[in-house]
Structure formats: structure tokens, C-alpha cells
């Protein structure tokens, strides 16, 4: 089947047309600055050429029209008409407690996504606008919503409740939701397949280390704990996000710097993490370069980053009473052998040893630990778009 995967932000739309019969990407592209001066459309043709052109897009409906024209273009398109497309899969960041798995979109589903938008005001409104535009322009196709939070809905209360007055959970649904669920699910499933094990009898820790980073404990195919919380700010140290801090730091900075709570949260989201600690960059390639040039703060930051990941791995091994596999994924997890090694140096107490040669041999799917006791360590490239396409097919076939 051919599935159009759509990922909409407030002013952007990313798409891929995926053939799920052979897991190939037939076309991909990006609309940027939708509704803003200078909107731009960028896509790859099937011979791999990247084309970028300024194209006026006053709203998401314009953007979807531009995408449809590119897909069906007589010269550079990949399908003759939309009749060749079987379904559309939409990425939605927050499904709250309502959505425990992907669903076929109807008016009620849109209303329910709107109802939880309070929890993701920067993300869900863009997705809803995108779904509406796609349904208007492709009314005969089934549309499926796939949620970043859904995979984590199997967590028990003891894992997702914060130790704050229970009434805040009852009144406002304040709790841990977790994000990157599509990636955690895809990577934990792949891990079981690579190891030739039944996923319902495997304890896996997935480390999704990208600009945003989160870690999850997946026991017997189900998520039992994850590091992101009510919002994607909690947990690991990230590119620009602080991850875990003492909440009292917020009011302390507010008083000292004469800032509002919202301004401090903005600093914790956008100016913290490895960017804030090094003062150099949020990009790990820049940080590694600085380390190689002898920058002490960059060295300390990498140590702090690795220590935080290792502490979560230890905690999740305890939460599952054991761990069979630890899988690294996303930009840093897949490509940065230095960080992987630094994290794994904390884990020798589990018996496991990283194999330097395998660790350093590229970014493909593979085992990177030595044979012997302890959990197997793997690199498993994530593919959120393929996972969205596969979940869409499951629902519409
Ligand atoms: P996101 O999707 O959350 O924006 P990514 O998963 O693309 O983020 O991860 C971005 C991070 O991955 C950056 O810190 C970058 O340094 C790192 N990264 C991406 N590609 C490479 C690479 N080829 N080599 C080393 N690091 C890389």
C-alpha cells in the first residue's frame, strides 16, 4: 500500500510517501514558513535531486495542495493521481489519556484531539490544522492519527503519577505522558526481531537520543516507564532542554533574574541542555569538536550527559527487575560512538562490555556489545515515518 505520512507543525508540513509493500520512500519534502512571508517548498525528486523553491502558502490547505501537485506532477511526480494513494497517516504529538493507540480520523477524533490540546499548545493545533486541510483536499482517502504519547499509555499509575496532590491529576490530568512513543515502539520491536526473541518475553531499554531525548523501559512489549513527563522537558539532558532539575530552581531564577515563570520555562526549553552547559552549541558534532580542541566545559558536559543516561538505564533495569537489551537510536544514539561508549562505561556492573570495533563501525542496525554476560547493546536506527505508515496500514487494510 502507498501511505502519505504527514507531520504538521504550526507553520511547517513534512511529508513522505511510503510504499509499505517494500518499505521504500517514494517521495519526501517539506513546506516551511506556512502563513509567513517567504514560504518555501523543498522536496526530493525520485532521482535524488533536491529542489527548493519559494512558493506562496497562506495556510496549511495551500501547503497540502502544493504537496499533492508535486506528488502528481507529470514530469517529477511519483504517482499519476491520488487514486494511487491508499491512506494518509498523521503524526499527532499529544493524545492525552484518551488515545491509547492509532485511530481512523473522524469528526469525533478531531474534537478529542482538540480537547487535549491544552497539554501540547505548541504542537497539537498544527496537527489539527493539517488533518483538516488533508481531509478537505483528499476526502475519499482514509486518514489515521498516530500519537507520540500512545505507546506509553500502558504505564501503571505508580510510574505515571507525580507525588503532588492527587486532585491535580483528577482536575487537570497532570501526570507523566511520555513522548517519542512511535520511535520507542518501533525500536523495541526491531530489537526483538534482531535478537530473534519474542517481544512478549524481553526487557528492553530504548535510548532515543536526538535533539529531544527520552528513554523508556519496555517489558514484554509494553512500556512500563519513560523519562519525558507532562511535557517533553523532563528527563535526560537534551540539545537545549534541561531535563530533570529541582523544581525550586524555577522560582529561585524568577526572583534573582526578575523573570516570569513562563520566561524561566522558556529558558529551560530553549537555552539549557548541552547548549546552556557548554555555551557553544546544541549540536553534538560541535561539542565533540570542542572536546577535541581541549574545551573543559564541553568535556564536563559530555560526562554529565552520559551520566544522566546511565542513571536512567540503572533505574529502568531496577523498574523491570532486569534488562535483556539496551538499544540506542536517533541522531546521537545512531551516530555518536563516543557518547555511546561513555554511557556504556557506567554499565559494566551489569556484566556487559561494549565492542569498540562494532561500536565505531557506522550507523547501521547492529549489536555493539561483546558476547558474554549482561544485556546486549544495540544500535537500531529509528524510522518514525515508516512506523506511522505501518500503523496506518494496520487500521485501514
Ligand atoms: P531531532 O530529530 O530530535 O531534531 P536528531 O535525531 O536529528 O534530532 O539528532 C540531532 C543530533 O544528532 C545532533 O546533536 C547531531 O549532532 C547528532 N547527529 C546527527 N547526525 C550525526 C552524524 N552523522 N554524526 C554525529 N552526530 C550526528
Amino acid at each position: 500500500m502507498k501511505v502519505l505520512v504527514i507531520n504538521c507543525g504550526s507553520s511547517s508540513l513534512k511529508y513522505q510517501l511510503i510504499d509499505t509493500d517494500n518499505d521504500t520512500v517514494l517521495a519526501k519534502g517539506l513546506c516551511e514558513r506556512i502563513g509567513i512571508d517567504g514560504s518555501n517548498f523543498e522536496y526530493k525528486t525520485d532521482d535524488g535531486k533536491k529542489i527548493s523553491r519559494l512558493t506562496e502558502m497562506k495556510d496549511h490547505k495551500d501547503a497540502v495542495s502544493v504537496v499533492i501537485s508535486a506528488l502528481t506532477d507529470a514530469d517529477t511526480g511519483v504517482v499519476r493521481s491520488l487514486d494511487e494513494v491508499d491512506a494518509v497517516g498523521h503524526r499527532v504529538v499529544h493524545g492525552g489519556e484518551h488515545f491509547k493507540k492509532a485511530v481512523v480520523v473522524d469528526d469525533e477524533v478531531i474534537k478529542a484531539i482538540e480537547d487535549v490540546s491544552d497539554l501540547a499548545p505548541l504542537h497539537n493545533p498544527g496537527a489539527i490544522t493539517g488533518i483538516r486541510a488533508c481531509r478537505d483536499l483528499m476526502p475519499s482517502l482514509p486518514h489515521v492519527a498516530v500519537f507520540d504519547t500512545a505507546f506509553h499509555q500502558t504505564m501503571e499509575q505508580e510510574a505515571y503519577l507525580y507525588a503532588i496532590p492527587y486532585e491535580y491529576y483528577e482536575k487537570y490530568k497532570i501526570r507523566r505522558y511520555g513522548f517519542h512513543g512511535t520511535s520507542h515502539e518501533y525500536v523495541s520491536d526491531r530489537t526483538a526481531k534482531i535478537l530473534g526473541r519474542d517481544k512478549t518475553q524481553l526487557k528492553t531499554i530504548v535510548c532515543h537520543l536526538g535533539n529531544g531525548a527520552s528513554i523508556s523501559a519496555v517489558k514484554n512489549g509494553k512500556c512500563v516507564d519513560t523519562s519525558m513527563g507532562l511535557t517533553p522537558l523532563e528527563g535526560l539532558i537534551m540539545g537545549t532542554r534541561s531535563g530533570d532539575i529541582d523544581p525550586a530552581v524555577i522560582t529561585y531564577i524568577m526572583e534573582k533574574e526578575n523573570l516570569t515563570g513562563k520566561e524561566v520555562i522558556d529558558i529551560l526549553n530553549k537555552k539549557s541542555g548541552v547548549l546552556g552547559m557548554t555555551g557553544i552549541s546544541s549540536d553534538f558534532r560541535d561539542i565533540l569538536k570542542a572536546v577535541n580542541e581541549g574545551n573543559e566545559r564541553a568535556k564536563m558536559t559530555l560526562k554529565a550527559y552520559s551520566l544522566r543516561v546511565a542513571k536512567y538505564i540503572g533505574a529502568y533495569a531496577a523498574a523491570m527487575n532486569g534488562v535483556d537489551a539496551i538499544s540506542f537510536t536517533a541522531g546521537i544514539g545512531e551516530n555518536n560512538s563516543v557518547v555511546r561508549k561513555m554511557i556504556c562505561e557506567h554499565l559494566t556492573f551489569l556484566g556487559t562490555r561494549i565492542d569498540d570495533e562494532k561500536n565505531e563501525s557506522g550507523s547501521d542496525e547492529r549489536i555493539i556489545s561483546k558476547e558474554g554476560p549482561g544485556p546486549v547493546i544495540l544500535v537500531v536506527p529509528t524510522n518514525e515515518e515508516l512506523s506511522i505508515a505501518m500503523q496506518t496500514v494496520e487500521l485501514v487494510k
Side-chain angles (χ1 to χ4, degrees):
M1 286 176 97
K2 291 192 177 87
V3 179
L4 178 60
V5 175
I6 300 276
N7 181 356
C8 268
S10 57
S11 67
S12 70
L13 182 159
K14 287 188 209 149
Y15 72 92
Q16 288 193 8
L17 183 66
I18 295 179
D19 187 339
T20 56
D21 294 338
N22 46 22
D23 295 354
T24 47
V25 178
L26 302 173
K28 66 192 280 188
L30 161 71
C31 304
E32 282 175 304
R33 298 178 65 83
I34 299 168
I36 306 171
D37 277 352
S39 39
N40 192 49
F41 177 53
E42 204 177 280
Y43 67 102
K44 261 195 187 155
T45 59
D46 58 353
D47 55 2
K49 246 198 305 184
K50 207 178 202 179
I51 296 183
S52 177
R53 59 167 190 252
L54 285 175
T55 309
E56 197 191 325
M57 293 176 271
K58 60 180 184 320
D59 54 27
H60 283 72
K61 213 164 162 179
D62 282 354
V64 176
S65 295
V66 167
V67 170
I68 293 172
S69 302
L71 290 174
T72 55
D73 186 274
D75 295 327
T76 54
V78 289
V79 289
R80 273 185 304 272
S81 79
L82 281 181
D83 292 345
E84 289 179 37
V85 178
D86 297 291
V88 186
H90 297 266
R91 178 190 178 207
V92 181
V93 167
H94 220 307
E97 289 189 326
H98 189 88
F99 294 106
K100 302 192 189 309
K101 51 187 174 38
V103 288
V104 177
V105 175
D106 58 20
D107 292 341
E108 261 173 46
V109 166
I110 294 190
K111 164 94 179 43
I113 299 173
E114 275 173 338
D115 288 345
V116 298
S117 284
D118 234 15
L119 294 167
L122 299 178
H123 293 103
N124 272 22
I128 294 166
T129 315
I131 292 173
R132 285 215 165 96
C134 287
R135 283 181 91 206
D136 282 352
L137 293 170
M138 295 176 271
S140 58
L141 292 182
H143 294 258
V144 169
V146 179
F147 302 90
D148 275 17
T149 47
F151 181 59
H152 304 303
Q153 278 294 309
T154 48
M155 283 186 290
E156 299 283 351
Q157 274 211 331
E158 60 262 33
Y160 72 70
L161 276 191
Y162 292 118
I164 58 176
Y166 192 77
E167 69 199 64
Y168 295 136
Y169 169 60
E170 292 176 311
K171 278 204 282 195
Y172 309 120
K173 293 285 171 227
I174 295 176
R175 50 159 285 182
R176 171 181 314 289
Y177 288 97
F179 299 87
H180 297 134
T182 309
S183 176
H184 287 287
E185 181 172 15
Y186 177 82
V187 171
S188 54
D189 279 2
R190 281 289 328 146
T191 301
K193 290 204 178 95
I194 296 165
L195 297 179
R197 298 273 302 269
D198 181 347
K199 75 172 177 183
T200 63
Q201 286 170 34
L202 195 69
K203 295 170 180 171
T204 304
I205 295 176
V206 177
C207 308
H208 177 109
L209 310 179
N211 276 319
S214 67
I215 182 162
S216 66
V218 184
K219 187 177 179 183
N220 304 338
K222 291 189 174 150
C223 175
V224 295
D225 210 344
T226 192
S227 59
M228 282 179 167
L230 175 72
T231 76
L233 180 55
E234 192 181 346
L236 302 176
I237 298 174
M238 310 183 211
T240 62
R241 290 175 230 159
S242 63
D244 299 336
I245 58 164
D246 179 346
V249 169
I250 297 172
T251 46
Y252 199 79
I253 298 177
M254 284 167 68
E255 281 161 25
K256 293 286 175 195
E257 297 273 321
N258 198 19
L259 295 171
T260 64
K262 202 166 169 293
E263 285 168 331
V264 177
I265 292 292
D266 214 43
I267 291 169
L268 297 180
N269 266 311
K270 297 183 185 152
K271 296 188 178 160
S272 300
V274 296
L275 169 68
M277 289 181 87
T278 58
I280 296 170
S281 169
S282 62
D283 193 302
F284 271 67
R285 285 166 283 205
D286 301 333
I287 294 169
L288 277 187
K289 187 164 166 274
V291 167
N292 291 334
E293 290 164 1
N295 184 307
E296 289 301 323
R297 241 167 75 187
K299 280 188 207 168
M300 175 278 297
T301 300
L302 277 195
K303 283 188 190 164
Y305 181 92
S306 310
L307 177 63
R308 179 82 57 92
V309 177
K311 279 161 62 169
Y312 265 98
I313 292 173
Y316 286 173
M320 295 192 287
N321 202 359
V323 50
D324 302 308
I326 299 169
S327 290
F328 288 99
T329 194
I332 298 154
E334 290 165 28
N335 298 297
N336 196 319
S337 59
V338 175
V339 168
R340 284 196 303 258
K341 187 171 164 81
M342 287 175 73
I343 294 166
C344 292
E345 276 168 355
H346 291 284
L347 304 178
T348 50
F349 77 98
L350 289 169
T352 199
R353 295 271 183 291
I354 201 161
D355 182 317
D356 287 330
E357 210 179 305
K358 290 180 186 158
N359 182 38
E360 278 152 32
S361 64
S363 56
D364 295 340
E365 188 175 274
R366 66 196 185 279
I367 292 170
I368 58 167
S369 52
K370 291 184 179 162
E371 284 202 21
V376 182
I377 304 173
L378 304 95
V379 171
V380 181
T382 193
N383 193 336
E384 287 163 286
E385 290 78 12
L386 177 61
S387 174
I388 291 172
M390 289 179 343
Q391 293 185 56
T392 300
V393 167
E394 273 306 302
L395 277 172
V396 303
K397 78 180 175 196

